[in-house]
Amino acid sequence: TNNTRKGSIMMKKKRFFTYAFSIAALSSLITIPAAAQTDIHVLDVGQGLSVLVESQGHYMLYDGGDQAKSSYVVSYLQEQGISSLDYVIASHYDSDHLNGVVGALNVFPAGQVFSPDYTTDTRVYNSFLSIIKSKKLKNKQPAVGNQYQLGDASFQILSPTGADYSDVNNYSIAIRIQDGDTSFLITGDAEADSEAEICSTGLKLDSDVYVMGHHGSGSSTTWELLQKVTPEYAILSCGTGNSYGHPHAESMEKLQAMDIQLLRTDKQGTIIASTDGSDITWNVSPCN
């Protein structure tokens, strides 16, 4: 009787361990998918602007900084493992935004190029036209309100709405990027006139993160825009000790008055915001 009982117990233990091993082996074969992620890189290009957006293996470059930073932008994209760009946006044709775009287009295939509808006679603008032509790239002026998909994220065109600005900064293509419940606003060098037009479009502007217009100039970041956007964070791209005095005090005072947390490339280097559609995490903390 004792031998029978012992044998029964041993069989139960064997079946239990076999079952436990089978569950463990099965668990090792189950892959839990990682949360989808969109990253917004505001590159440290000194006195200029360059933003890389990546989502689920899809990439957009918004501006590329000045000539001195063009090779840095290309190297940074290569370090991210990028072989081609879905979208390239030249917000406008100032050299501190366009030079790096030309550099990137020389290296990476691009699915679609967006640029504003005006002309200039600068060398970098002519280089931009030349690379578009030689590579037979698709280049167009996107309509305000148009939306485009980029991986798990999407972006909408907010400006320009006009066609006869005295200041070419107002031709800047502004976009709002959304991934789930999180959103980001980028306005290039758009100034007060264009910001007022953006506010009058009726399009959704509320955003968690605002990449400050015109490097923190007092001629941008109007009260009207900030009150429509109500960002929790602002990112400033400007050069250390730049000759323009950016950022201007009035812009900083507005951020402080609205308790908007500030991150700066001139003090902190490249800024990266990552979102899973619910929460935003940063590679550095706000410096304010």
Side-chain angles (χ1 to χ4, degrees):
T1 303
N2 287 339
N3 288 339
T4 302
R5 186 180 296 114
K6 288 179 180 178
S8 177
I9 292 171
M10 290 299 294
M11 286 298 293
K12 287 179 180 178
K13 286 183 177 179
K14 184 176 181 180
R15 284 198 296 269
F16 171 78
F17 285 120
T18 301
Y19 174 76
F21 177 79
S22 298
I23 292 296
L26 181 61
S27 298
S28 69
L29 298 175
I30 298 173
T31 301
I32 300 174
Q37 182 168 297
T38 296
D39 295 328
I40 313 290
H41 308 240
V42 181
L43 278 60
D44 180 14
V45 292
Q47 185 61 22
L49 178 66
S50 183
V51 183
L52 170 67
V53 184
E54 54 177 318
S55 181
Q56 297 299 292
H58 295 272
Y59 303 93
M60 172 173 65
L61 180 67
Y62 180 104
D63 287 347
D66 214 337
Q67 185 174 9
K69 293 293 183 177
S70 180
S71 60
Y72 162 72
V73 171
V74 168
S75 295
Y76 189 92
L77 268 57
Q78 290 172 331
E79 289 170 4
Q80 303 305 308
I82 297 173
S83 58
S84 64
L85 296 160
D86 295 71
Y87 299 96
V88 174
I89 298 179
S91 70
H92 64 304
Y93 303 133
D94 282 2
S95 62
D96 59 327
H97 295 250
L98 188 58
N99 268 296
V101 168
V102 175
L105 290 176
N106 268 298
V107 176
F108 302 98
Q112 178 67 65
V113 179
F114 292 142
S115 62
D117 188 16
Y118 77 98
T119 62
T120 184
D121 59 359
T122 62
R123 179 179 297 178
V124 64
Y125 175 69
N126 289 328
S127 296
F128 175 69
L129 294 183
S130 177
I131 195 69
I132 293 291
K133 183 178 179 180
S134 65
K135 291 205 169 188
K136 299 180 180 178
L137 297 172
K138 292 186 290 184
N139 180 36
K140 69 177 182 179
Q141 291 75 47
V144 169
N146 282 5
Q147 296 193 61
Y148 303 90
Q149 198 69 29
L150 184 76
D152 285 324
S154 63
F155 64 96
Q156 185 171 41
I157 306 298
L158 303 178
S159 72
T161 61
D164 189 23
Y165 297 109
S166 58
D167 189 328
V168 297
N169 285 335
N170 286 312
Y171 284 104
S172 292
I173 296 175
I175 62 172
R176 180 179 180 271
I177 303 163
Q178 182 150 4
D179 182 349
D181 295 327
T182 60
S183 48
F184 305 78
L185 180 70
I186 309 174
T187 61
D189 275 358
E191 303 205 10
D193 288 347
S194 183
E195 289 185 358
E197 291 171 351
I198 290 171
C199 291
S200 67
T201 60
L203 298 172
K204 188 173 184 179
L205 300 180
D206 184 70
S207 301
D208 298 292
V209 181
Y210 166 50
V211 179
M212 296 185 73
H214 201 184
H215 320 291
S217 169
S219 57
S220 304
T221 310
T222 59
W223 280 116
E224 182 183 16
L225 182 72
L226 283 178
Q227 289 165 355
K228 288 275 189 180
V229 179
T230 61
E232 183 176 356
Y233 300 96
I235 303 175
L236 171 65
S237 178
C238 69
T240 304
N242 65 85
S243 61
Y244 303 97
H246 293 155
H248 291 161
E250 52 264 48
S251 296
M252 298 296 96
E253 289 164 0
K254 291 171 187 173
L255 299 187
Q256 188 173 28
M258 292 183 66
D259 198 26
I260 298 168
Q261 302 295 299
L262 177 64
L263 302 100
R264 299 175 55 155
T265 61
D266 62 332
K267 294 183 178 295
Q268 299 174 282
T270 292
I271 308 293
I272 306 173
S274 302
T275 177
D276 60 4
S278 298
D279 299 303
I280 298 173
T281 57
W282 301 87
N283 67 323
V284 293
S285 299
C287 67
N288 296 324

